[in-house]
Amino acid sequence: MTKPTILIATWNDGLFAVTNDGRTQEIANQLVRWLAPDGHGGALAIVGQHSLRRRTSEGEWATVATSELDLSCCMAVQDAIYVGTDDARMLRLSNGNSVLEPIDSFDNVAGRDTWFAGSAIVNGQRLGPPLGIRSVAANSNGSILFANVHVGGIPRSIDGGKTWQPTIDINSDVHEVRTHPTNPDIVAAASAIGLCISRDAGATWTIERDGLHAPHCSAIAFAGDDILVSAAIDPFAAEGRIYRRPLKPDGPLIAVEGGMPAWTEGKVDTACIATNASSIAVVDMGGNLYVSGDSGQTSSRSSSKLPTPSSVLITSPF
């Protein structure tokens, strides 16, 4: 039986695996940018910006493909892997291939000329990410693809990447997009202006802020029919908070308690909330990992003093 494992990718110090036996380092001294399930019980990761790697369920890593472009995020959809880049391009790796091929149609999304970098000037220094694809997602049956461009909204494709159409206003400043695990019509996004929800597969969006202490949302995930979202005052806040928003029945945004701290150490950033069935993992900018095995009703701190995280993934429920 596969041992439940939480993988934590970091910006500068490789990748860590946390199990009931403790914490080990599987990749050292490298930037690990993104984690995603590979659809076969393993995981995908962006390593060193230019390498797409796969982890087996036994913990063995192998390079799947490389690129001269700076890779930012990835996802497996049926027999293909889609990879976003820091210059806002979309690549695809087809089954049996070893070359990441550009999806040229993504370069022609309507309104692309209005996209802009999400970085800011702080004390004379430019901080934050460049214009690029910050997260990717596919709906539960794989028929619709979503690419969260920072800052460029959420283009979607309903034909397997052949064509792309803009959806949400780019000034929503979306930081992560996720899809419901079983309902192909429900999509949610964390944005600088609040929680964004679509009930028609991304065609239209509503924005919710009531209940949040601040509207700047960075990370999002689905725990069953509940949405989990992180909020902070700004991208550089010293603390943040995790909220739950039930979908069945519709409910308000409420702060997650039951062992989750009232305030996290720094914000919980993009890709730093992971769910798998009833299991939840949250890692904050301070390197504190909180886990729950009961959909967040109770939580506990599992690890601390991790290097600055970039992504978290639960390989199997615990």
Side-chain angles (χ1 to χ4, degrees):
M1 180 177 179
T2 301
K3 180 185 296 184
T5 302
I6 301 173
L7 301 178
I8 301 112
T10 73
W11 284 104
N12 295 302
D13 296 285
L15 179 139
F16 296 83
V18 176
T19 68
N20 289 336
D21 298 329
R23 186 170 87 193
T24 58
Q25 190 167 20
E26 294 191 353
I27 299 174
N29 304 320
Q30 294 193 67
L31 183 159
V32 183
R33 182 71 178 272
W34 189 265
L35 294 169
D38 72 346
H40 302 283
L44 298 171
I46 303 296
V47 180
Q49 290 191 290
H50 301 289
S51 176
L52 174 66
R53 297 189 190 178
R54 174 180 277 119
R55 181 188 190 269
T56 68
S57 57
E58 290 76 30
E60 299 295 326
W61 287 93
T63 298
V64 177
T66 59
S67 174
E68 294 181 354
L69 300 174
D70 289 342
L71 309 179
S72 57
C73 54
C74 62
M75 64 176 173
V77 183
Q78 297 170 357
D79 62 349
I81 298 174
Y82 294 85
V83 180
T85 75
D86 264 344
D87 62 350
R89 301 184 69 191
M90 184 69 78
L91 313 176
R92 178 171 49 213
L93 185 71
S94 299
N95 188 32
N97 201 347
S98 60
V99 178
L100 287 165
E101 300 175 341
I103 300 178
D104 294 333
S105 60
F106 193 80
D107 298 340
N108 301 313
V109 181
R112 186 182 174 102
D113 58 344
T114 65
W115 297 354
F116 61 94
S119 53
I121 303 296
V122 178
N123 297 325
Q125 182 180 6
R126 182 169 292 279
L127 301 175
L131 169 66
I133 300 179
R134 186 154 174 157
S135 66
V136 286
N139 67 348
S140 59
N141 60 23
S143 63
I144 302 179
L145 311 178
F146 301 90
N148 156 212
V149 178
H150 193 249
V151 176
I154 308 175
R156 71 169 187 164
S157 174
I158 61 174
D159 54 12
K162 294 178 182 178
T163 60
W164 297 81
Q165 302 79 35
T167 62
I168 199 168
D169 186 334
I170 68 169
N171 291 308
S172 301
D173 191 2
V174 175
H175 299 129
E176 185 172 11
V177 62
R178 295 268 187 152
T179 54
H180 191 278
T182 59
N183 188 326
D185 293 326
I186 297 179
V187 191
S191 83
I193 62 172
L195 168 64
C196 310
I197 301 176
S198 174
R199 298 178 183 275
D200 54 12
T204 61
W205 297 84
T206 58
I207 312 297
E208 298 186 9
R209 305 182 189 88
D210 291 347
L212 298 175
H213 76 283
H216 192 279
C217 298
S218 296
I220 196 158
F222 283 91
D225 283 320
D226 291 355
I227 299 172
L228 300 176
V229 63
S230 69
I233 293 174
D234 59 45
F236 313 105
E239 59 187 16
R241 180 171 281 180
I242 304 298
Y243 294 85
R244 179 188 298 273
R245 201 292 197 184
L247 289 174
K248 292 183 179 180
D250 272 340
L253 280 155
I254 55 175
V256 175
E257 298 177 340
M260 182 66 64
W263 299 102
T264 58
E265 187 178 347
K267 67 179 180 180
V268 173
D269 206 358
T270 301
C272 288
I273 303 176
T275 59
N276 191 328
S278 61
S279 300
I280 298 172
V282 176
V283 60
D284 63 26
M285 293 296 285
N288 301 293
L289 172 66
Y290 299 92
V291 300
S292 171
D294 56 9
S295 298
Q297 300 306 309
T298 60
S299 303
S300 62
R301 187 164 68 174
S302 172
S303 193
S304 61
K305 297 183 179 179
L306 286 156
T308 306
S310 60
S311 186
V312 62
L313 178 71
I314 305 171
T315 63
S316 61
F318 49 84

